Amino acid sequence: MNSLVAFLRRVLNLCRKELKVILKDPAGRMVLFAPVLVQSLIFGYAATLDLRQAPYALLDQDHGEAATALVARIESSGAFQRAATLRNESDIPPIVNAGDVLFVVHIPPRFESRLSNGEDTPVQLVLDARNSVSAGTAAGYLGTIVSRFNADWRKEHGGGEVPLTVDVRSWYNPNLETRWFMMTAMIANLSMLQTLMLTALSVAREREQGTFDQLLVTPCTPTEIMIGKSVPSIIVGLAQASLVVLITSLWFRIPPAGSLVTLYTALLVFTLAAVGIGLAISALAVSMQQAMLYTFVLMMPLVLLSGMTTPIANMPVVMQWFTMIDPARYGIHMVHRVYLEGVGLQAVLADILPLLAIAAVTLPTAAWLFRHRLT
């Protein structure tokens, strides 16, 4: 019992000392939390695939009631804004080449009469595919608008049998906003970035400042030193995740559907796996510059393989295998399921167990590297 109390006292002293080192400098405190705030706002507003007031040009060669009604539907959607009205087909290439519009809607002559007679009635869409993602999204939006307009027109004007329509209802993200996906993913990604950085710099900072030898002559064992270095990083990582949660829920009005207890339990396991990687980096690096370099080199593959920017199912099979050792993959999936779907802890066990397996490998590896560097 006395040995356990002594062990806990030494670990708590190390944790207190590490937190003081991290938080004592006002500039250091700003570096910990200001980037999280800025990056959350940037990703929330800028990293979006949704169309908002995308510029387009209209070439209407019919000017009938049907054409006017179709254009009204396009512009009332809120996704598009007319930037130019063209007179003839020769005006299309210059405005698309100049990049002034994302696409051109060309309504041909006899549009209304063809539609009323049940004939094939094409509407040409000329896309600027240099921005392929936005162009594809715009084509999907326009396709949905035209299909609904076609069905409604035939139903109201008796222009033949009404085609089969699809009533789409989106669960977990009713308005299909990219922001809902990106901001919840950032809860995991930003906490992982800071946890990795802090743990990677912890031992390297001691070596560079010349205090590492003083730490070794204390009664603390290497295991206690590792725990003392890990716990403060986990606390700071969870605090930063909390800041992103607050921004997501209060500023961007994305309501959490699940329990916060489940969410933080999942984040705790996730940060534990990230700590093991950070400690391994810290044991290998001989300076803070090396630790930062190793961290940034590792972060890019971790983010790209996490599924945040590219669906994992679209990756080559070999890359999909590599994602299985990426803690960010499981962390983002857990946060999405808890925050957006509202699932319980049992539903995310499939993500928690791989994270525990990663931690079971990285933490002993970091301990071995730590002891190896001591000898």
Side-chain angles (χ1 to χ4, degrees):
M1 186 66 181
N2 291 334
S3 60
L4 177 60
V5 172
F7 168 79
L8 292 176
R9 183 182 293 114
R10 289 193 296 269
V11 170
L12 288 175
N13 288 334
L14 283 170
C15 292
R16 184 166 62 243
K17 172 256 183 190
E18 192 69 18
L19 283 172
K20 286 182 178 179
V21 170
I22 294 173
L23 301 175
K24 69 176 182 180
D25 184 13
R29 292 195 294 269
M30 287 294 295
V31 169
L32 284 178
F33 296 102
V36 175
L37 178 63
V38 173
Q39 291 176 42
S40 298
L41 294 176
I42 289 176
F43 272 89
Y45 285 112
T48 175
L49 301 179
D50 302 326
L51 291 179
R52 292 287 186 271
Q53 301 296 319
Y56 83 99
L58 173 66
L59 175 56
D60 182 4
Q61 294 183 311
D62 181 79
H63 302 290
E65 178 187 350
T68 302
L70 175 60
V71 173
R73 289 206 179 195
I74 293 174
E75 297 185 349
S76 64
S77 67
F80 310 113
Q81 182 178 20
R82 193 192 311 182
T85 302
L86 309 182
R87 296 179 178 274
N88 50 62
E89 295 182 28
S90 62
D91 296 334
I92 295 178
I95 196 168
V96 174
N97 291 337
D100 295 333
V101 295
L102 181 60
F103 61 91
V104 176
V105 177
H106 178 199
I107 301 176
R110 298 185 60 248
F111 174 76
E112 184 171 348
S113 61
R114 289 182 182 180
L115 192 63
S116 300
N117 295 332
E119 301 176 14
D120 184 24
T121 313
V123 174
Q124 187 180 36
L125 181 64
V126 182
L127 293 165
D128 182 1
R130 287 172 291 192
N131 187 345
S132 59
V133 175
S134 297
T137 304
Y141 279 24
L142 263 296
T144 302
I145 292 172
V146 170
S147 297
R148 291 178 179 173
F149 169 80
N150 180 53
D152 293 344
W153 178 269
R154 289 177 182 273
K155 185 176 180 179
E156 293 173 4
H157 296 80
E161 185 177 337
V162 178
L164 177 67
T165 59
V166 179
D167 184 13
V168 179
R169 295 184 180 181
S170 301
W171 289 7
Y172 313 127
N173 186 356
N175 297 321
L176 295 176
E177 295 185 29
T178 309
R179 180 179 296 157
W180 284 49
F181 177 84
M182 295 297 296
M183 287 306 302
T184 48
M186 293 306 293
I187 295 173
N189 259 347
L190 286 179
S191 65
M192 181 181 69
L193 173 62
Q194 294 297 334
T195 302
L196 274 176
M197 183 64 71
L198 287 176
T199 50
L201 292 176
S202 59
V203 179
R205 180 179 60 247
E206 299 276 3
R207 288 198 184 100
E208 195 166 285
Q209 294 177 350
T211 57
F212 190 62
D213 291 336
Q214 298 175 11
L215 191 62
L216 295 178
V217 299
T218 63
C220 299
T221 65
T223 300
E224 292 169 351
I225 294 174
M226 282 189 57
I227 296 174
K229 295 290 185 182
S230 304
V231 173
S233 300
I234 293 175
I235 294 173
V236 173
L238 291 176
Q240 292 173 329
S242 301
L243 179 58
V244 184
V245 169
L246 289 174
I247 294 172
T248 302
S249 58
L250 300 180
W251 183 265
F252 291 110
R253 304 291 183 181
I254 304 174
S259 166
L260 290 179
V261 174
T262 304
L263 178 63
Y264 277 93
T265 302
L267 287 173
L268 178 62
V269 178
F270 172 62
T271 52
L272 185 64
V275 159
I277 300 175
L279 286 174
I281 294 174
S282 188
L284 287 172
V286 297
S287 65
M288 295 179 65
Q289 289 80 5
Q290 277 191 7
M292 292 181 65
L293 178 61
Y294 293 160
T295 302
F296 281 116
V297 168
L298 188 61
M299 275 301 301
M300 185 60 70
L302 291 178
V303 172
L304 292 177
L305 294 175
S306 67
M308 187 180 79
T309 57
T310 305
I312 293 176
N314 293 353
M315 299 179 186
V317 177
V318 176
M319 292 293 102
Q320 293 185 35
W321 293 344
F322 280 111
T323 65
M324 298 178 69
I325 59 174
D326 182 0
R329 166 186 175 164
Y330 306 105
I332 291 175
H333 189 249
M334 283 192 307
V335 173
H336 281 157
R337 296 214 63 193
V338 176
Y339 196 101
L340 296 179
E341 298 180 32
V343 301
L345 190 61
Q346 186 175 0
V348 294
L349 281 178
D351 294 311
I352 289 178
L353 293 178
L355 286 172
L356 290 175
I358 293 173
V361 173
T362 56
L363 289 172
T365 301
W368 181 85
L369 289 171
F370 190 72
R371 293 190 184 96
H372 179 70
R373 292 304 295 266
L374 291 181
T375 57

